[in-house]
Amino acid sequence: MGGPNLEVFKFGLYLFVPVVALLHFGDPSWYHNHVLPYKGHLFPPPDRTYSKIPTDQTAIREELARIKADKLARRMEREKELQTQSEAVAQSSKGWFKWW
């Protein structure tokens, strides 16, 4: 087992590491150079967020109907694209293998 010198070293290390980490990562220049450039990647810009949440029941139903209509339109568009792709594949392929 170690002696008192090892315990003093461990205690010093346990105090030294967090203090140095706080001094390094808490520096405002480090924050401005490393955090702020990625803020746009992590959080959406304010114009893309919807901050007016409906509170009454009719507004909630209208918003729900709008969301469902948007989903249905996207699904129909996706199915139309898949159908055109499958038709193109069916016309180009004649069997299991392209030479067959």
Side-chain angles (χ1 to χ4, degrees), residues 32-95:
H32 288 291
N33 293 335
H34 295 93
V35 176
L36 289 182
Y38 296 105
K39 184 179 178 183
H41 298 291
L42 298 175
F43 301 105
D47 59 338
R48 289 187 52 209
T49 58
Y50 190 72
S51 61
K52 296 179 182 177
I53 298 174
T55 55
D56 59 340
Q57 190 173 13
T58 58
I60 291 173
R61 289 184 191 270
E62 290 172 0
E63 186 67 21
L64 186 60
R66 184 191 65 81
I67 291 171
K68 286 182 180 180
D70 289 346
K71 280 186 177 183
L72 181 63
R74 282 194 306 259
R75 185 191 318 157
M76 296 298 280
E77 185 177 318
R78 187 173 54 241
E79 287 176 357
K80 187 176 180 182
E81 288 176 5
L82 288 173
Q83 184 179 9
T84 57
Q85 288 176 357
S86 65
E87 288 175 359
V89 169
Q91 290 176 357
S92 66
S93 65
K94 297 178 183 175

Short mmCIF file of all heavy atoms in Angstrom, two decimals, residues 32-95:
data_model
loop_
_atom_site.label_atom_id
_atom_site.label_comp_id
_atom_site.label_asym_id
_atom_site.label_seq_id
_atom_site.Cartn_x
_atom_site.Cartn_y
_atom_site.Cartn_z
N HIS A 32 -16.71 31.58 -26.77
CA HIS A 32 -17.01 32.27 -28.03
C HIS A 32 -16.38 31.57 -29.23
O HIS A 32 -16.94 31.60 -30.32
CB HIS A 32 -16.54 33.72 -27.96
CG HIS A 32 -17.39 34.57 -27.07
ND1 HIS A 32 -18.69 34.91 -27.36
CD2 HIS A 32 -17.12 35.14 -25.87
CE1 HIS A 32 -19.18 35.65 -26.40
NE2 HIS A 32 -18.26 35.79 -25.47
N ASN A 33 -15.24 30.93 -29.04
CA ASN A 33 -14.57 30.26 -30.16
C ASN A 33 -15.08 28.86 -30.44
O ASN A 33 -15.03 28.40 -31.58
CB ASN A 33 -13.06 30.20 -29.91
CG ASN A 33 -12.43 31.56 -29.93
OD1 ASN A 33 -12.94 32.49 -30.56
ND2 ASN A 33 -11.33 31.71 -29.22
N HIS A 34 -15.55 28.16 -29.41
CA HIS A 34 -15.90 26.75 -29.59
C HIS A 34 -17.37 26.42 -29.43
O HIS A 34 -17.83 25.40 -29.93
CB HIS A 34 -15.09 25.89 -28.61
CG HIS A 34 -13.63 25.92 -28.88
ND1 HIS A 34 -12.79 26.81 -28.27
CD2 HIS A 34 -12.87 25.19 -29.72
CE1 HIS A 34 -11.56 26.61 -28.72
NE2 HIS A 34 -11.58 25.64 -29.59
N VAL A 35 -18.13 27.22 -28.72
CA VAL A 35 -19.54 26.91 -28.47
C VAL A 35 -20.46 27.69 -29.40
O VAL A 35 -21.36 27.12 -30.02
CB VAL A 35 -19.90 27.16 -26.99
CG1 VAL A 35 -21.38 26.93 -26.75
CG2 VAL A 35 -19.07 26.26 -26.09
N LEU A 36 -20.24 28.98 -29.50
CA LEU A 36 -21.15 29.82 -30.29
C LEU A 36 -21.19 29.45 -31.78
O LEU A 36 -22.26 29.55 -32.38
CB LEU A 36 -20.80 31.29 -30.11
CG LEU A 36 -21.15 31.86 -28.73
CD1 LEU A 36 -20.81 33.34 -28.68
CD2 LEU A 36 -22.62 31.66 -28.41
N PRO A 37 -20.09 29.02 -32.41
CA PRO A 37 -20.21 28.64 -33.82
C PRO A 37 -21.13 27.45 -34.05
O PRO A 37 -21.72 27.32 -35.13
CB PRO A 37 -18.77 28.28 -34.23
CG PRO A 37 -17.92 29.04 -33.29
CD PRO A 37 -18.68 29.09 -32.01
N TYR A 38 -21.32 26.57 -33.08
CA TYR A 38 -22.15 25.38 -33.24
C TYR A 38 -23.56 25.57 -32.69
O TYR A 38 -24.35 24.63 -32.71
CB TYR A 38 -21.49 24.18 -32.56
CG TYR A 38 -20.19 23.83 -33.22
CD1 TYR A 38 -18.99 24.15 -32.61
CD2 TYR A 38 -20.16 23.22 -34.45
CE1 TYR A 38 -17.79 23.85 -33.22
CE2 TYR A 38 -18.97 22.92 -35.07
CZ TYR A 38 -17.79 23.25 -34.45
OH TYR A 38 -16.62 22.96 -35.06
N LYS A 39 -23.86 26.77 -32.23
CA LYS A 39 -25.18 27.03 -31.66
C LYS A 39 -26.27 26.83 -32.72
O LYS A 39 -27.33 26.29 -32.44
CB LYS A 39 -25.24 28.44 -31.10
CG LYS A 39 -26.53 28.77 -30.42
CD LYS A 39 -26.50 30.18 -29.88
CE LYS A 39 -27.84 30.52 -29.24
NZ LYS A 39 -27.86 31.90 -28.78
N GLY A 40 -26.00 27.22 -33.96
CA GLY A 40 -26.98 27.05 -35.03
C GLY A 40 -27.22 25.60 -35.38
O GLY A 40 -28.30 25.23 -35.84
N HIS A 41 -26.24 24.74 -35.17
CA HIS A 41 -26.41 23.32 -35.44
C HIS A 41 -27.21 22.62 -34.35
O HIS A 41 -27.93 21.66 -34.61
CB HIS A 41 -25.06 22.63 -35.57
CG HIS A 41 -24.24 23.14 -36.71
ND1 HIS A 41 -24.57 22.92 -38.03
CD2 HIS A 41 -23.10 23.87 -36.73
CE1 HIS A 41 -23.68 23.49 -38.81
NE2 HIS A 41 -22.78 24.08 -38.04
N LEU A 42 -27.07 23.09 -33.12
CA LEU A 42 -27.73 22.44 -32.00
C LEU A 42 -29.16 22.91 -31.79
O LEU A 42 -30.03 22.11 -31.47
CB LEU A 42 -26.93 22.67 -30.72
CG LEU A 42 -25.52 22.11 -30.70
CD1 LEU A 42 -24.80 22.53 -29.43
CD2 LEU A 42 -25.54 20.61 -30.82
N PHE A 43 -29.41 24.19 -31.98
CA PHE A 43 -30.73 24.76 -31.72
C PHE A 43 -31.26 25.39 -33.01
O PHE A 43 -30.52 26.04 -33.73
CB PHE A 43 -30.67 25.82 -30.62
CG PHE A 43 -30.13 25.30 -29.33
CD1 PHE A 43 -28.85 25.60 -28.92
CD2 PHE A 43 -30.91 24.49 -28.53
CE1 PHE A 43 -28.35 25.12 -27.73
CE2 PHE A 43 -30.42 24.01 -27.33
CZ PHE A 43 -29.14 24.32 -26.93
N PRO A 44 -32.54 25.23 -33.30
CA PRO A 44 -33.10 25.84 -34.50
C PRO A 44 -33.16 27.36 -34.35
O PRO A 44 -33.28 27.87 -33.23
CB PRO A 44 -34.49 25.24 -34.60
CG PRO A 44 -34.83 24.84 -33.22
CD PRO A 44 -33.54 24.46 -32.57
N PRO A 45 -33.08 28.08 -35.46
CA PRO A 45 -33.19 29.54 -35.35
C PRO A 45 -34.59 29.94 -34.90
O PRO A 45 -35.55 29.19 -35.07
CB PRO A 45 -32.91 30.02 -36.78
CG PRO A 45 -33.09 28.85 -37.65
CD PRO A 45 -32.84 27.64 -36.82
N PRO A 46 -34.72 31.11 -34.32
CA PRO A 46 -36.03 31.53 -33.78
C PRO A 46 -37.13 31.61 -34.84
O PRO A 46 -38.29 31.41 -34.51
CB PRO A 46 -35.75 32.91 -33.19
CG PRO A 46 -34.29 33.00 -33.01
CD PRO A 46 -33.68 32.08 -34.01
N ASP A 47 -36.79 31.88 -36.09
CA ASP A 47 -37.84 31.99 -37.10
C ASP A 47 -38.41 30.62 -37.47
O ASP A 47 -39.51 30.54 -38.01
CB ASP A 47 -37.33 32.70 -38.35
CG ASP A 47 -36.14 31.99 -38.98
OD1 ASP A 47 -35.46 31.22 -38.27
OD2 ASP A 47 -35.90 32.20 -40.18
N ARG A 48 -37.71 29.53 -37.17
CA ARG A 48 -38.22 28.19 -37.46
C ARG A 48 -38.98 27.57 -36.29
O ARG A 48 -39.54 26.50 -36.42
CB ARG A 48 -37.07 27.25 -37.84
CG ARG A 48 -36.48 27.57 -39.20
CD ARG A 48 -35.48 26.54 -39.63
NE ARG A 48 -36.04 25.20 -39.55
CZ ARG A 48 -35.32 24.12 -39.32
NH1 ARG A 48 -34.04 24.21 -39.15
NH2 ARG A 48 -35.90 22.94 -39.27
N THR A 49 -38.97 28.23 -35.16
CA THR A 49 -39.70 27.72 -34.02
C THR A 49 -41.09 28.33 -33.99
O THR A 49 -41.32 29.45 -34.43
CB THR A 49 -38.98 28.04 -32.70
OG1 THR A 49 -38.82 29.45 -32.59
CG2 THR A 49 -37.63 27.36 -32.65
N TYR A 50 -42.03 27.58 -33.47
CA TYR A 50 -43.41 28.02 -33.40
C TYR A 50 -43.69 28.35 -31.95
O TYR A 50 -43.87 27.46 -31.12
CB TYR A 50 -44.36 26.93 -33.91
CG TYR A 50 -45.77 27.40 -34.09
CD1 TYR A 50 -46.11 28.26 -35.11
CD2 TYR A 50 -46.76 26.97 -33.22
CE1 TYR A 50 -47.40 28.70 -35.27
CE2 TYR A 50 -48.05 27.40 -33.38
CZ TYR A 50 -48.38 28.26 -34.40
OH TYR A 50 -49.66 28.70 -34.56
N SER A 51 -43.74 29.63 -31.63
CA SER A 51 -43.88 30.03 -30.23
C SER A 51 -45.32 30.33 -29.84
O SER A 51 -45.60 30.51 -28.67
CB SER A 51 -43.02 31.25 -29.96
OG SER A 51 -43.43 32.32 -30.79
N LYS A 52 -46.23 30.41 -30.80
CA LYS A 52 -47.62 30.72 -30.47
C LYS A 52 -48.41 29.41 -30.39
O LYS A 52 -49.00 28.96 -31.37
CB LYS A 52 -48.23 31.64 -31.52
CG LYS A 52 -47.55 33.00 -31.56
CD LYS A 52 -48.16 33.87 -32.62
CE LYS A 52 -47.42 35.19 -32.67
NZ LYS A 52 -47.93 36.05 -33.73
N ILE A 53 -48.40 28.80 -29.25
CA ILE A 53 -49.08 27.53 -29.04
C ILE A 53 -50.56 27.82 -28.81
O ILE A 53 -50.91 28.67 -27.98
CB ILE A 53 -48.47 26.78 -27.86
CG1 ILE A 53 -47.00 26.49 -28.15
CG2 ILE A 53 -49.23 25.52 -27.56
CD1 ILE A 53 -46.25 25.88 -27.00
N PRO A 54 -51.44 27.11 -29.51
CA PRO A 54 -52.88 27.37 -29.31
C PRO A 54 -53.31 26.93 -27.92
O PRO A 54 -52.87 25.91 -27.40
CB PRO A 54 -53.54 26.53 -30.39
CG PRO A 54 -52.54 25.54 -30.82
CD PRO A 54 -51.20 26.12 -30.56
N THR A 55 -54.22 27.72 -27.34
CA THR A 55 -54.66 27.43 -25.98
C THR A 55 -56.11 26.99 -25.92
O THR A 55 -56.47 26.22 -25.05
CB THR A 55 -54.47 28.65 -25.08
OG1 THR A 55 -55.15 29.76 -25.67
CG2 THR A 55 -53.00 28.99 -24.92
N ASP A 56 -56.97 27.48 -26.83
CA ASP A 56 -58.36 27.07 -26.77
C ASP A 56 -58.59 25.85 -27.65
O ASP A 56 -57.79 25.51 -28.52
CB ASP A 56 -59.31 28.21 -27.16
CG ASP A 56 -59.04 28.73 -28.56
OD1 ASP A 56 -57.94 28.50 -29.06
OD2 ASP A 56 -59.95 29.35 -29.14
N GLN A 57 -59.69 25.18 -27.44
CA GLN A 57 -59.94 23.89 -28.07
C GLN A 57 -60.11 24.01 -29.59
O GLN A 57 -59.62 23.16 -30.33
CB GLN A 57 -61.18 23.24 -27.46
CG GLN A 57 -61.37 21.81 -27.89
CD GLN A 57 -62.51 21.15 -27.14
OE1 GLN A 57 -63.30 21.80 -26.48
NE2 GLN A 57 -62.59 19.84 -27.24
N THR A 58 -60.74 25.06 -30.06
CA THR A 58 -60.94 25.20 -31.51
C THR A 58 -59.62 25.44 -32.22
O THR A 58 -59.38 24.89 -33.31
CB THR A 58 -61.93 26.34 -31.82
OG1 THR A 58 -61.43 27.56 -31.25
CG2 THR A 58 -63.30 26.04 -31.25
N ALA A 59 -58.75 26.25 -31.63
CA ALA A 59 -57.45 26.49 -32.24
C ALA A 59 -56.61 25.22 -32.25
O ALA A 59 -55.87 24.96 -33.22
CB ALA A 59 -56.72 27.60 -31.48
N ILE A 60 -56.72 24.42 -31.21
CA ILE A 60 -55.98 23.16 -31.16
C ILE A 60 -56.49 22.22 -32.24
O ILE A 60 -55.70 21.57 -32.95
CB ILE A 60 -56.10 22.51 -29.76
CG1 ILE A 60 -55.34 23.35 -28.74
CG2 ILE A 60 -55.58 21.09 -29.77
CD1 ILE A 60 -55.53 22.91 -27.31
N ARG A 61 -57.80 22.14 -32.42
CA ARG A 61 -58.35 21.27 -33.47
C ARG A 61 -57.94 21.75 -34.86
O ARG A 61 -57.63 20.94 -35.73
CB ARG A 61 -59.87 21.21 -33.35
CG ARG A 61 -60.34 20.43 -32.14
CD ARG A 61 -61.85 20.32 -32.12
NE ARG A 61 -62.33 19.81 -30.86
CZ ARG A 61 -62.50 18.52 -30.61
NH1 ARG A 61 -62.22 17.63 -31.52
NH2 ARG A 61 -62.95 18.14 -29.42
N GLU A 62 -57.94 23.07 -35.08
CA GLU A 62 -57.51 23.60 -36.38
C GLU A 62 -56.04 23.28 -36.64
O GLU A 62 -55.68 22.89 -37.75
CB GLU A 62 -57.74 25.11 -36.42
CG GLU A 62 -59.19 25.52 -36.46
CD GLU A 62 -59.37 27.01 -36.29
OE1 GLU A 62 -58.36 27.73 -36.14
OE2 GLU A 62 -60.53 27.47 -36.32
N GLU A 63 -55.21 23.44 -35.63
CA GLU A 63 -53.79 23.14 -35.79
C GLU A 63 -53.58 21.65 -36.04
O GLU A 63 -52.77 21.26 -36.88
CB GLU A 63 -53.02 23.58 -34.55
CG GLU A 63 -51.53 23.47 -34.67
CD GLU A 63 -50.94 24.42 -35.69
OE1 GLU A 63 -51.57 25.42 -36.03
OE2 GLU A 63 -49.83 24.11 -36.16
N LEU A 64 -54.31 20.81 -35.36
CA LEU A 64 -54.22 19.37 -35.57
C LEU A 64 -54.66 18.99 -36.98
O LEU A 64 -54.03 18.16 -37.63
CB LEU A 64 -55.05 18.64 -34.53
CG LEU A 64 -54.95 17.11 -34.51
CD1 LEU A 64 -53.51 16.68 -34.25
CD2 LEU A 64 -55.87 16.54 -33.47
N ALA A 65 -55.72 19.61 -37.46
CA ALA A 65 -56.18 19.35 -38.83
C ALA A 65 -55.14 19.80 -39.84
O ALA A 65 -54.90 19.12 -40.85
CB ALA A 65 -57.50 20.06 -39.07
N ARG A 66 -54.49 20.93 -39.59
CA ARG A 66 -53.46 21.41 -40.51
C ARG A 66 -52.26 20.45 -40.53
O ARG A 66 -51.74 20.11 -41.59
CB ARG A 66 -52.98 22.81 -40.09
CG ARG A 66 -51.97 23.42 -41.06
CD ARG A 66 -51.34 24.66 -40.48
NE ARG A 66 -50.53 24.40 -39.30
CZ ARG A 66 -49.28 23.93 -39.33
NH1 ARG A 66 -48.71 23.64 -40.48
NH2 ARG A 66 -48.61 23.75 -38.21
N ILE A 67 -51.87 19.96 -39.35
CA ILE A 67 -50.74 19.02 -39.28
C ILE A 67 -51.08 17.73 -40.01
O ILE A 67 -50.26 17.18 -40.75
CB ILE A 67 -50.37 18.77 -37.80
CG1 ILE A 67 -49.75 20.03 -37.20
CG2 ILE A 67 -49.41 17.60 -37.68
CD1 ILE A 67 -49.56 19.95 -35.70
N LYS A 68 -52.31 17.22 -39.81
CA LYS A 68 -52.72 15.99 -40.48
C LYS A 68 -52.76 16.18 -41.99
O LYS A 68 -52.36 15.29 -42.75
CB LYS A 68 -54.08 15.53 -39.97
CG LYS A 68 -54.03 14.92 -38.60
CD LYS A 68 -55.40 14.46 -38.15
CE LYS A 68 -55.35 13.83 -36.77
NZ LYS A 68 -56.67 13.37 -36.34
N ALA A 69 -53.22 17.34 -42.45
CA ALA A 69 -53.26 17.61 -43.89
C ALA A 69 -51.85 17.67 -44.46
O ALA A 69 -51.60 17.15 -45.56
CB ALA A 69 -54.01 18.90 -44.16
N ASP A 70 -50.94 18.29 -43.74
CA ASP A 70 -49.55 18.34 -44.20
C ASP A 70 -48.94 16.94 -44.28
O ASP A 70 -48.25 16.60 -45.25
CB ASP A 70 -48.70 19.20 -43.28
CG ASP A 70 -49.02 20.68 -43.40
OD1 ASP A 70 -49.71 21.07 -44.37
OD2 ASP A 70 -48.59 21.45 -42.51
N LYS A 71 -49.19 16.12 -43.27
CA LYS A 71 -48.68 14.75 -43.29
C LYS A 71 -49.25 13.95 -44.45
O LYS A 71 -48.55 13.20 -45.12
CB LYS A 71 -49.00 14.04 -41.97
CG LYS A 71 -48.09 14.38 -40.84
CD LYS A 71 -48.42 13.51 -39.63
CE LYS A 71 -47.49 13.77 -38.49
NZ LYS A 71 -47.76 12.89 -37.35
N LEU A 72 -50.55 14.10 -44.68
CA LEU A 72 -51.20 13.39 -45.77
C LEU A 72 -50.63 13.83 -47.12
O LEU A 72 -50.37 12.99 -47.99
CB LEU A 72 -52.71 13.61 -45.73
CG LEU A 72 -53.53 12.89 -46.80
CD1 LEU A 72 -53.39 11.37 -46.63
CD2 LEU A 72 -54.98 13.30 -46.71
N ALA A 73 -50.41 15.13 -47.29
CA ALA A 73 -49.85 15.63 -48.54
C ALA A 73 -48.43 15.09 -48.75
O ALA A 73 -48.08 14.68 -49.87
CB ALA A 73 -49.84 17.15 -48.54
N ARG A 74 -47.63 15.07 -47.69
CA ARG A 74 -46.28 14.53 -47.83
C ARG A 74 -46.31 13.03 -48.15
O ARG A 74 -45.52 12.54 -48.95
CB ARG A 74 -45.48 14.77 -46.55
CG ARG A 74 -44.98 16.19 -46.42
CD ARG A 74 -43.92 16.31 -45.33
NE ARG A 74 -44.36 15.80 -44.04
CZ ARG A 74 -44.78 16.55 -43.03
NH1 ARG A 74 -44.82 17.85 -43.17
NH2 ARG A 74 -45.14 16.00 -41.89
N ARG A 75 -47.23 12.28 -47.51
CA ARG A 75 -47.33 10.85 -47.77
C ARG A 75 -47.76 10.58 -49.21
O ARG A 75 -47.22 9.70 -49.87
CB ARG A 75 -48.31 10.19 -46.81
CG ARG A 75 -48.29 8.68 -47.02
CD ARG A 75 -49.38 7.90 -46.34
NE ARG A 75 -49.70 8.29 -45.00
CZ ARG A 75 -50.88 8.04 -44.44
NH1 ARG A 75 -51.81 7.42 -45.12
NH2 ARG A 75 -51.13 8.41 -43.20
N MET A 76 -48.73 11.35 -49.70
CA MET A 76 -49.18 11.17 -51.07
C MET A 76 -48.06 11.48 -52.06
O MET A 76 -47.87 10.77 -53.05
CB MET A 76 -50.40 12.06 -51.36
CG MET A 76 -51.62 11.70 -50.52
SD MET A 76 -52.20 10.03 -50.82
CE MET A 76 -53.11 10.31 -52.30
N GLU A 77 -47.30 12.52 -51.77
CA GLU A 77 -46.18 12.87 -52.64
C GLU A 77 -45.13 11.76 -52.63
O GLU A 77 -44.59 11.38 -53.67
CB GLU A 77 -45.57 14.19 -52.17
CG GLU A 77 -44.47 14.71 -53.05
CD GLU A 77 -43.96 16.05 -52.57
OE1 GLU A 77 -44.79 16.89 -52.19
OE2 GLU A 77 -42.73 16.23 -52.59
N ARG A 78 -44.84 11.22 -51.43
CA ARG A 78 -43.85 10.15 -51.32
C ARG A 78 -44.32 8.89 -52.05
O ARG A 78 -43.55 8.24 -52.75
CB ARG A 78 -43.59 9.85 -49.84
CG ARG A 78 -42.46 8.88 -49.61
CD ARG A 78 -42.12 8.73 -48.14
NE ARG A 78 -43.26 8.38 -47.33
CZ ARG A 78 -43.74 9.12 -46.33
NH1 ARG A 78 -43.19 10.27 -46.03
NH2 ARG A 78 -44.80 8.73 -45.64
N GLU A 79 -45.61 8.54 -51.91
CA GLU A 79 -46.14 7.37 -52.61
C GLU A 79 -46.12 7.56 -54.11
O GLU A 79 -45.84 6.63 -54.86
CB GLU A 79 -47.56 7.09 -52.13
CG GLU A 79 -47.63 6.51 -50.73
CD GLU A 79 -49.06 6.32 -50.24
OE1 GLU A 79 -50.00 6.69 -50.99
OE2 GLU A 79 -49.22 5.81 -49.13
N LYS A 80 -46.37 8.78 -54.58
CA LYS A 80 -46.33 9.06 -56.01
C LYS A 80 -44.91 8.89 -56.55
O LYS A 80 -44.70 8.32 -57.61
CB LYS A 80 -46.83 10.49 -56.26
CG LYS A 80 -47.00 10.85 -57.70
CD LYS A 80 -47.59 12.25 -57.81
CE LYS A 80 -47.77 12.63 -59.26
NZ LYS A 80 -48.31 14.00 -59.38
N GLU A 81 -43.92 9.38 -55.78
CA GLU A 81 -42.53 9.21 -56.19
C GLU A 81 -42.14 7.74 -56.21
O GLU A 81 -41.45 7.28 -57.13
CB GLU A 81 -41.61 9.99 -55.25
CG GLU A 81 -41.68 11.48 -55.41
CD GLU A 81 -40.83 12.21 -54.38
OE1 GLU A 81 -40.11 11.54 -53.60
OE2 GLU A 81 -40.87 13.45 -54.36
N LEU A 82 -42.56 6.99 -55.20
CA LEU A 82 -42.25 5.56 -55.16
C LEU A 82 -42.91 4.82 -56.32
O LEU A 82 -42.31 3.91 -56.90
CB LEU A 82 -42.69 4.94 -53.84
CG LEU A 82 -41.85 5.31 -52.62
CD1 LEU A 82 -42.50 4.78 -51.35
CD2 LEU A 82 -40.45 4.79 -52.76
N GLN A 83 -44.12 5.22 -56.67
CA GLN A 83 -44.81 4.57 -57.78
C GLN A 83 -44.10 4.85 -59.10
O GLN A 83 -43.92 3.95 -59.91
CB GLN A 83 -46.26 5.05 -57.85
CG GLN A 83 -47.08 4.35 -58.90
CD GLN A 83 -48.52 4.85 -58.91
OE1 GLN A 83 -48.84 5.83 -58.25
NE2 GLN A 83 -49.36 4.18 -59.67
N THR A 84 -43.66 6.07 -59.31
CA THR A 84 -42.94 6.39 -60.55
C THR A 84 -41.60 5.66 -60.59
O THR A 84 -41.18 5.19 -61.65
CB THR A 84 -42.73 7.90 -60.69
OG1 THR A 84 -42.03 8.39 -59.55
CG2 THR A 84 -44.05 8.63 -60.85
N GLN A 85 -40.94 5.53 -59.44
CA GLN A 85 -39.67 4.80 -59.40
C GLN A 85 -39.90 3.32 -59.68
O GLN A 85 -39.13 2.69 -60.41
CB GLN A 85 -38.99 4.97 -58.05
CG GLN A 85 -38.41 6.34 -57.83
CD GLN A 85 -37.82 6.49 -56.44
OE1 GLN A 85 -37.89 5.59 -55.62
NE2 GLN A 85 -37.23 7.65 -56.17
N SER A 86 -40.95 2.74 -59.12
CA SER A 86 -41.20 1.32 -59.33
C SER A 86 -41.61 1.06 -60.78
O SER A 86 -41.25 0.03 -61.35
CB SER A 86 -42.28 0.81 -58.38
OG SER A 86 -43.51 1.44 -58.66
N GLU A 87 -42.34 1.99 -61.40
CA GLU A 87 -42.69 1.84 -62.82
C GLU A 87 -41.44 1.91 -63.68
O GLU A 87 -41.30 1.16 -64.64
CB GLU A 87 -43.69 2.91 -63.23
CG GLU A 87 -45.08 2.70 -62.67
CD GLU A 87 -46.00 3.86 -63.00
OE1 GLU A 87 -45.55 4.83 -63.64
OE2 GLU A 87 -47.18 3.78 -62.61
N ALA A 88 -40.52 2.80 -63.34
CA ALA A 88 -39.29 2.93 -64.11
C ALA A 88 -38.44 1.66 -63.96
O ALA A 88 -37.85 1.18 -64.93
CB ALA A 88 -38.50 4.15 -63.65
N VAL A 89 -38.41 1.09 -62.78
CA VAL A 89 -37.63 -0.13 -62.55
C VAL A 89 -38.30 -1.30 -63.27
O VAL A 89 -37.62 -2.14 -63.86
CB VAL A 89 -37.50 -0.41 -61.02
CG1 VAL A 89 -36.96 -1.79 -60.77
CG2 VAL A 89 -36.62 0.64 -60.39
N ALA A 90 -39.63 -1.35 -63.25
CA ALA A 90 -40.34 -2.45 -63.92
C ALA A 90 -40.14 -2.39 -65.42
O ALA A 90 -40.05 -3.43 -66.08
CB ALA A 90 -41.82 -2.38 -63.56
N GLN A 91 -40.07 -1.21 -65.98
CA GLN A 91 -39.87 -1.10 -67.42
C GLN A 91 -38.44 -1.42 -67.82
O GLN A 91 -38.19 -1.97 -68.89
CB GLN A 91 -40.23 0.32 -67.88
CG GLN A 91 -41.71 0.61 -67.81
CD GLN A 91 -42.01 2.06 -68.18
OE1 GLN A 91 -41.10 2.84 -68.42
NE2 GLN A 91 -43.29 2.40 -68.18
N SER A 92 -37.49 -1.10 -66.95
CA SER A 92 -36.09 -1.32 -67.32
C SER A 92 -35.65 -2.76 -67.10
O SER A 92 -34.78 -3.25 -67.80
CB SER A 92 -35.19 -0.37 -66.53
OG SER A 92 -35.25 -0.70 -65.15
N SER A 93 -36.21 -3.46 -66.13
CA SER A 93 -35.78 -4.83 -65.87
C SER A 93 -36.76 -5.80 -66.52
O SER A 93 -37.96 -5.61 -66.53
CB SER A 93 -35.72 -5.08 -64.37
OG SER A 93 -37.00 -5.00 -63.80
N LYS A 94 -36.18 -6.88 -67.05
CA LYS A 94 -37.00 -7.88 -67.75
C LYS A 94 -37.04 -9.20 -66.98
O LYS A 94 -37.76 -10.10 -67.36
CB LYS A 94 -36.45 -8.12 -69.15
CG LYS A 94 -36.52 -6.88 -69.99
CD LYS A 94 -35.92 -7.13 -71.35
CE LYS A 94 -35.93 -5.86 -72.16
NZ LYS A 94 -35.28 -6.01 -73.43
N GLY A 95 -36.27 -9.34 -65.96
CA GLY A 95 -36.24 -10.58 -65.19
C GLY A 95 -35.39 -10.42 -63.96
O GLY A 95 -35.12 -9.31 -63.51
#
